[in-house]
Amino acid sequence: MDDNFQPLIIALCCNWCSYAGADLAGVSRSQYPPSIRIVRVMCSGMVHPNLVIDAFTKGADGVLMCGCHPGDCHYQEGNLRAEKRAEAIKLMLADFGIEEERFRLEWVSAAEGPRFAQVVREFTDQVRQLGVSPYKS
Amino acid sequence: MRSEESQAPPVGAALVVGGGIGGMQAALDLANGGIKVYLAEKGPAIGGVMAQLDKTFPTNDCAMCTMAPRLVEIGRHKDIDILTLTEVERVAGQPGNFTVSLKQQPRFIDATKCTGCGACTTECPVTMPSEFDQGLAPRKAIYRPFPQAVPNIFTISRRGNSPCEAGCPIHQSGQGYVTLIAQGRFDEALQVILRDNPIPSICGRICTHPCTAACTRNSVDDPVNLPALKRFITDRFSNYKLPQATVPDRPEKIAIVGSGPAGLLCAYQLRQKGYGTTIFEALPVAGGMLAAGIPSFRLPRPLLNAELDRLRAIGIEILLDAPVGRSITFDELRKSYAAVFVAIGAHVERRLGIPGEDLPGVTGGVEFLRRVNLSGRVAPGQHVLVVGGGNSALDAARAALRCGAAEVTIVYRRTPAEMPADHREIEDAEREGVKLMFLAAPKSFHAGPGGRVAGLECTKMKLGRPDASGRPAPEPIPGSEFVIPCDAVVATIGQVPDVNSLGERLGLTTTKSGTLRADPQTLETELPGVFAGGDCVTGPDVVVTAMLAGKKAANSIDRWLNGRNLRVAREMEGPYHTAYTVDTAGVLMQRQVPVQALDPKTRGRTFAEVHVGYTQEEAVAEAKRCLACGICCDCHLCQTACQANAIDYAQTQQTRELKVGAIVLAPGFEIFDARLKKDLGYGRFPNVLTSLEFERILSASGPYSGHVRRPFDQQEPKRIAFLQCVGSRDFERDYCSSVCCMYATKEAIIAKEHLGEGLQCDVFFMDIRAFGKGFEQYYRRAQELDVRYIRTRVPKIEEVPGSRNLIVNYLGENDRKLSQEYDLVVLSVGMQPPKDAKVLAERFGVALNKFNFCGTTTFQPAETSREGIFVAGPFAEPKDIPETVMQASAAAAEVLSLLREARGTMITPKVYPLEREVKGEEPRVGVFVCHCGTNIAGVVNVPEVVEYAKTLPNVVFADNNLYTCSNDTQDRIKEKIAEHNLNRVVVASCTPRTHEPLFRNTMAEAGLNPYLFEMANIRDQCSWVHMHEPEKATQKSKDLVRMALAKARLLEPLHRQAVSVEKSALVIGGGLSGMTAALSLARQGFDVHLVEKEKELGGNLRHIHYLLNGDLPLDELARLRDEVAHHSKIHLFTGAAIEKIDGSIGNFKTMITANGETTEVTHGVVIVATGAKQYQPKEYLYGQDDSVITQRDLEARLASGGDFLAGNGIQPAKTVVMIQCVGSRDADHPYCSRLCCAEAIKNALKIKARSPQTNVYVLYRDIRTYGFKESYYTKARQQGVVFVRYDENRKPEVLRNGQGLKVSVYDQTLGMPIMISADMVVLSAGIHPHEENRKIAQFLKVPLNSEGFFLEAHMKLRPVDFMTDGVFLCGLAHSPKSIDESILQAQAASARAASVLVQDRLELGANISQVVDENCDGCAYCVDTCPYKAITLLEYKWQGAIKKVVETNDSTCKGCGCCQATCPKKGVFIRGFTLEEIEAQIHAALGVE
């Protein structure tokens, strides 16, 4: 493993809980590696599986999808739809020759700033173990 | 309703008191209903107790997640003024026209400037317990209660100047530098010292320090040793420099006569204001008495010279050997200089005036000390007498010793207690060998053989009555004369100014005591432009008094030269006492850290400095003794940190008056002070917590970031006990706090979530009161998770020494004494009225009930005793969040009725310029990158990001701003939009969640579509989370800007669609709730279609004859029916059925069939009030035996005379047995019916009232008399009603046995079966939902819960709303509830409905779905996936073939995007979050185009 390898991870965060959780990580000054680029979506249920696959084939080392905890969804159950799609995404990843561990779905509430940072740290380590994306030219 | 006598039109504004969840709800409903709202909150931010909660029961939703959007909504609402730190003083006037006097405490922050960036908190040295975290975590003195606080601005906890600062004549901030020393921030401590004092190393040694006399620690042990601490700092930084003037130099030059402390301070202050200053000093050395009078063992000369050099370094000219009158005439001085300050001190010796004073060997103290100080050692003699008792006498005596005298004796005519000298100096002198002789007054000097003095004849004295100085006057004892042999005498009995050499010659007048005459406040003399101060005006005084004179003179001269008033606003000059007191209870004794000194045996012979000063460790230890009296220590570091210049220490308490039409009181509650239950150990045992403290511990934003630990040793608890009813249901508080059972259950469940199921959670309780919607199921879930419930009241807790674990002692079943050990005990503290309830009641003129809660009545449950003033939340009765929210909305409904004529008169219209068409234009993007003070710029290289942005495609302008959110920057953005013809804007700053609306508004004000805007969150996602990697944070910021730009280029203008609103309502159900809702809306002026399926109105209310509190609901029913029937706005359909409901918010269409006719009505909103029904029991012989009846039957019989009790012709009932939970809390009906316990007690009390000898048994599982109903439970027990508890698994049995009924039950309390012969068995039948609910639910596309009751949008915060907009809910259709609760919910529904109906057109969300017809093939995957059923499939024929396509309903779509993510063909997308836009961001992040 290359110790200097800083993975580039796309994070898709829902506006109501996990994006707010990322904000609270900032307010709480919880430090995490500068590996993620957050794309704000209104709901995790909005993320089309093709967006995730596209991110990988364009060279993302990892994709993190974050939504509200079950029961907390601002749109009743968009997060549960995302959960189902995550299963489908994992199956698709295999077809594209991408390790399943490069993708992760996490629930982060608006009150879980430090946890958001923890998730990013852990996932970054995990992706770092896997090395550079096979799609990176 | 408004009083007839009030003539003036009502005011279209309301005051809401209290910013908790209740006040917030009332404010929103009122503002959205067209009434201007003033929301007055006592604290610095709104949010109340709910903001402190972790999760909420029974859904375990995160409290802050659900609440934060509402906080933001209120913070931004154009018609809500949030008045924080505000209390109401007085209310005058009448309903419709109140005048309210408000008092607002200072925030010390300019709210218009503070951007909430938080840079100040890192600098603030003062930490204190955080109120928000219940004292479990610290906060700074400058703070924001919680990160999401609204308003998002900071507050300084500041009592005012600390006593030491106030007591110091020049107001040196003692607490400031002491606090900084305590933290090892020595550099900053020096800066604080230098702010007010240019000669601190001198003051640290010889100032008499009035600050220490004012120190609060005097009342505990010793004052903080401020002088030694000040000296520690100046010694540490011996090369410090004085601050340079920050203003440009001014042309005026000021002459200062005399270079003593007064002159130096004056010169310094004037220099800081930009004036040129020249000091004229008559002596060959500068410093006045500092140089000539004070010996070097107290003030080493290099230090004095260094201070003078520093003053010279900032441009102060000091001319030596320059006596005015000789080197320059006074007239020349006045001509050449703009003003003159005379500070010549008092250097002329006061004489004893006794024979022999001129003998050789007799010198004055001033002369002697000057000789020693200026020329070195001058021995006065071998046996020296020093006459006097002041500091100069001490200095002279100690100097004489150091000059080689064999023996030095101080002769003083009074006793040690009267000596004006500093006590420490006296001690030091004695240690060095100086002798003291008291009560001896010099009479004459005796000459020796050489004509030199050889003895001093004295008279012995005694103390007499106090003289003018307040000290006992010495009186001579006749004939007591004696002679003290000596060879030298130094007479140090005081000095006077050298007025002869200057004063009168200069045309300045003098006083009788030989001092110059000057105005005591302004220091003006009779000559214009000439000021005088210091010892020459006051007579000899201490150095800091002279410094004050210099400071005052500088102030006066500045005012005089600028033509300003010399007298106004000078009250706070000079020492004063603080107005506040500091509570020192509980402060631990800790003596002052002693200052090390040289050995007295040897030091008395050298001029080396006596005291060596503190070491760093000593200084820090001493500084830590400070009690932080003022809280804010006045260090001004926040002012340095705040680049927005928002800090304003000068703010004071403000008062203002408001005109409002109505008032809603929602001041909340107080938690019970658990220390009052001494045996439970709270406050003594560190591992006994209150439930609110434990709530903070559970919270991810709490003191341990959500890690459950006990405060004492930070260990994870393995066993937690929850003790219920602490401060509820006891002798003093005969009410139930209603929420504790459920919050304890929640805390136990969440604690187990955190620590694993192995965590032992035991709840000690009396009755589990899980009476709310979903509560019983929640309680069962807790039991499944192995939360143990132990039925007992715990009388006492003991602590285990060492481990500090806790032993809970209690009585188990069969009265066995048991005890268990726990790591943590959580006390479920009850709700109490606000501490100031009585004051509130008096100020608002409302009545309180016997428990000091705000009194209300059954049928007007949101009204106080004063017309026009309403109440919401726990101030009226302990209650949960949804009940609070409902009551708040109900109060709003009442206000909306009262002020209906004034609706819309005081709200602010918002007018934007015409929107510029940008279609077809190439994107022209402006990028604004924010410094956020140092929040971003401290880490991210902002200019670099700006330069990078300029290189990106379509960027035509990029720049940085100090604070992009500030008001002036909004103007700048608008300018730049116009100047560069921008059509897209990107702001790189903080989070769009809080700031996007602000910038979108700016876009609109600039004539651009607000949706052509995008943000890059480089603060929360870069500078704050990558603080130690500035380069990477900068790189990431560039990436985020690039991503935002990629999206911005694709953005299209979006428009919020508007639909017209049909201004009428459909109310389904004509029971109490339906009638109440209909009337409330009608009174607000809206048309209502009220549909009742039965022939008559009234529903269940028709069967209720009397209430627990004695009220008679049938009278109220008659009144309601009458008003409904006659109200012109209400269109009544009885015996009616709803056939169909179409449409959505604003425009519904409903088919109603009544009397064989079908009518179609159109309406903007729907209120569901379909009620519920009583369970028809199948058990306990009901229906088989006439003596087994329901409570409703019993009530009817009691109401019609109660013959069965009196025995009129029939056998009187001797024993009545009531059985609770029939059709409730069982497998088929797993919920509590909420009312039955109170109903049973109501009827039991009625029986006892009619026939005290009748035996009444109530067989129950838990008695759930929540709130004020508890006292009736108490009353029933007092009246002999027997309560027998049975277990769910051992239900009672009812048998017909010959003539009578037998009830057999296993009494859980006694632990044995009992058999009761009953004449009557009364079943408390539960409340069940109507089957017809299903049909209505389908019509309206709203959900039911598993029991068949309607399911609201959110169980806590939206209890009367549905997820489907425009549809509202109230009454039993929602869940079982009492009459007052039904009325509140019905009124609440009407307020919520009104917020729709007041609008002429309804704006829908802009970020909603849109179908791309050419891509959609009608596969309909999206139809099922839509959580709002907003998508329908259309089929139509086109060119001979059947085509399918979906259509979305703009008014029901919420924009979640589930459709977009499901569609395989890109046939539907969410505006503003299209696949292309998201993809562009991802590609930009990955660096691919």
Side-chain angles (χ1 to χ4, degrees), chain B residues 65-78:
Chain B
C65 298
T66 52
M67 187 182 190
R70 193 161 293 195
L71 286 170
V72 175
E73 188 184 352
I74 291 178
R76 276 192 218 129
H77 204 294
K78 65 181 174 59

Side-chain angles (χ1 to χ4, degrees), chain B residues 995-1005 1008 1010-1011 1013 1407:
Chain B
H995 281 68
E996 193 177 63
L998 169 77
F999 296 123
R1000 280 191 172 160
N1001 187 53
T1002 304
M1003 298 281 287
E1005 287 176 356
L1008 277 181
Y1011 293 90
F1013 172 79
N1407 299 112

Side-chain angles (χ1 to χ4, degrees), chain B residues 1113-1130:
Chain B
L1114 291 179
D1115 296 350
E1116 177 69 8
L1117 174 62
R1119 205 190 59 70
L1120 281 174
R1121 276 178 178 160
D1122 188 55
E1123 195 182 342
V1124 167
H1126 293 100
H1127 205 295
S1128 63
K1129 289 280 183 187
I1130 297 179

Side-chain angles (χ1 to χ4, degrees), chain B residues 481-723:
Chain B
E481 288 76 9
F482 66 105
V483 176
I484 317 167
C486 62
D487 57 9
V489 176
V490 181
T492 52
I493 56 156
Q495 307 103 48
V496 287
D498 187 7
V499 287
N500 292 333
S501 71
L502 194 65
E504 283 170 356
R505 269 198 290 128
L506 302 180
L508 295 173
T509 51
T510 54
T511 64
K512 270 183 203 159
S513 53
T515 56
L516 296 178
R517 193 185 296 280
D519 183 286
Q521 189 184 31
T522 65
L523 304 187
E524 291 168 285
T525 65
E526 284 158 14
L527 296 178
V530 179
F531 299 79
D535 284 0
C536 65
V537 170
T538 59
D541 206 333
V542 295
V543 61
V544 72
T545 310
M547 289 166 77
L548 168 61
K551 209 172 161 178
K552 274 165 88 167
N555 187 354
S556 289
I557 290 170
D558 182 50
R559 287 169 181 235
W560 185 73
L561 288 175
N562 290 293
R564 297 208 315 271
N565 190 307
L566 265 67
R567 293 191 187 275
V568 296
R570 300 191 71 158
E571 300 77 17
M572 300 307 265
E573 269 183 337
Y576 63 92
H577 290 290
T578 49
Y580 60 87
T581 52
V582 180
D583 182 11
T584 55
V587 173
L588 293 178
M589 291 271 286
Q590 196 189 350
R591 303 307 295 256
Q592 200 177 74
V593 176
V595 182
Q596 299 303 318
L598 298 180
D599 182 357
K601 285 187 195 122
T602 52
R603 73 179 187 215
R605 300 292 162 188
T606 76
F607 277 83
E609 190 175 13
V610 169
H611 293 282
V612 291
Y614 278 143
T615 62
Q616 182 173 321
E617 290 71 27
E618 288 168 339
V620 169
E622 176 61 16
K624 283 186 173 158
R625 295 178 63 243
C626 175
L627 297 175
C629 304
I631 306 183
C632 164
C633 72
D634 223 358
C635 68
H636 294 202
L637 289 176
C638 52
Q639 205 166 38
T640 323
C642 179
Q643 302 202 11
N645 281 325
I647 313 287
D648 181 4
Y649 302 109
Q651 281 183 2
T652 52
Q653 183 184 296
Q654 302 292 315
T655 52
R656 66 185 280 197
E657 280 197 347
L658 289 178
K659 294 270 185 203
V660 295
I663 297 170
V664 177
L665 297 179
F669 65 99
E670 207 79 50
I671 63 168
F672 173 72
D673 181 359
R675 282 173 296 198
L676 297 176
K677 300 276 178 191
K678 288 204 169 59
D679 286 341
L680 300 181
Y682 179 76
R684 287 184 292 135
F685 305 153
N687 295 318
V688 177
L689 299 177
T690 68
S691 44
L692 196 53
E693 287 171 337
F694 193 58
E695 195 81 38
R696 292 310 303 150
I697 289 178
L698 290 171
S699 172
S701 67
Y704 313 130
S705 305
H707 297 292
V708 180
R709 296 175 187 151
R710 53 183 212 172
F712 168 61
D713 50 11
Q714 308 281 305
Q715 294 297 306
E716 285 186 358
K718 297 199 167 37
R719 300 159 297 181
I720 305 178
F722 294 87
L723 269 51

